[in-house]
Amino acid sequence: ARPVCFFRQGIMACFQLSRRLLAQRPLCAGVTPRIMVRSSTSEPKDFFERNEKLKRPMSPHVTIYAPQWTWVLSIVHRGTGVALSGGVYAAALGCCMTSGSFDASLATMAVPAAIGFLTKLSISFPFVYHTLNGVRHLNWDRGEGFEIKTLEKQGQIVLGSSLLVSALIAVFL
């Protein structure tokens, strides 16, 4: 007898259910496509030509805006998320190539203490910042803290706390 594959059975059940649901009610029932036609032929037909004619910039750029805590910290949050995901792969590769603990690996490489501290800080900061800023985002999901002063103060607290906790981790671990 052939062994039972629960994963395959689950996939087939989902496929059959979706076929039944789509057969009962099509997604596009009663929707008719509309064709957009321009009334004037003198206008440039291309988006970029029109914006060039109006002397508009390609898109607003960071250099024309004054830095604000909200968007700077948003960029840092995204950057730390990317750093964390890349760091997981780098750490996995590092674990495959070395034996022993991280501290033992640094000791065998004869790395000066300052470089070791900066390495630990660069590893711990993205994790700590991303975690604390995630808690800040959960507060926003509750609908609280959207006043400009509150946003700026929370951002400064998150950044300062992240630096402090990361430094403590780098020193004591």
Side-chain angles (χ1 to χ4, degrees):
R2 190 173 170 171
V4 177
C5 179
F6 294 108
F7 178 73
R8 184 174 177 172
Q9 288 178 346
I11 295 294
M12 292 305 292
C14 288
F15 179 70
Q16 291 170 353
L17 177 64
S18 63
R19 282 184 63 189
R20 272 188 268 142
L21 290 174
L22 288 174
Q24 291 174 3
R25 186 174 181 183
L27 293 176
C28 299
V31 176
T32 57
R34 297 177 187 225
I35 299 172
M36 301 296 287
V37 179
R38 288 184 186 252
S39 58
S40 171
T41 57
S42 63
E43 275 187 60
K45 292 189 177 25
D46 188 38
F47 171 80
F48 297 107
E49 289 176 14
R50 186 178 75 235
N51 284 335
E52 190 175 311
K53 181 180 175 185
L54 296 171
K55 300 195 183 327
R56 291 180 178 162
M58 182 68 97
S59 66
H61 196 266
V62 176
T63 59
I64 66 171
Y65 293 111
Q68 296 175 346
W69 277 102
T70 51
W71 64 261
V72 169
L73 294 178
S74 175
I75 292 169
V76 173
H77 185 76
R78 292 168 194 223
T80 57
V82 170
L84 286 171
S85 60
V88 167
Y89 291 112
L93 288 174
C95 287
C96 292
M97 292 183 204
T98 62
S99 61
S101 68
F102 182 73
D103 286 329
S105 299
L106 286 178
T108 59
M109 293 188 292
V111 175
I115 300 296
F117 172 77
L118 290 175
T119 303
K120 290 178 182 180
L121 186 67
S122 66
I123 291 170
S124 63
F125 177 77
F127 178 75
V128 172
Y129 176 80
H130 203 77
T131 302
L132 293 179
N133 205 42
V135 171
R136 181 176 171 223
H137 277 263
L138 287 175
N139 190 39
W140 292 347
D141 290 342
R142 292 180 8 178
E144 297 175 3
F146 287 111
E147 298 80 29
I148 298 297
K149 293 285 186 189
T150 307
L151 288 170
E152 290 176 357
K153 188 170 187 162
Q154 285 176 347
Q156 293 167 354
I157 290 170
V158 165
L159 188 60
S161 300
S162 299
L163 288 171
L164 178 67
V165 171
S166 298
L168 291 172
I169 289 172
V171 168
F172 293 112
L173 290 182

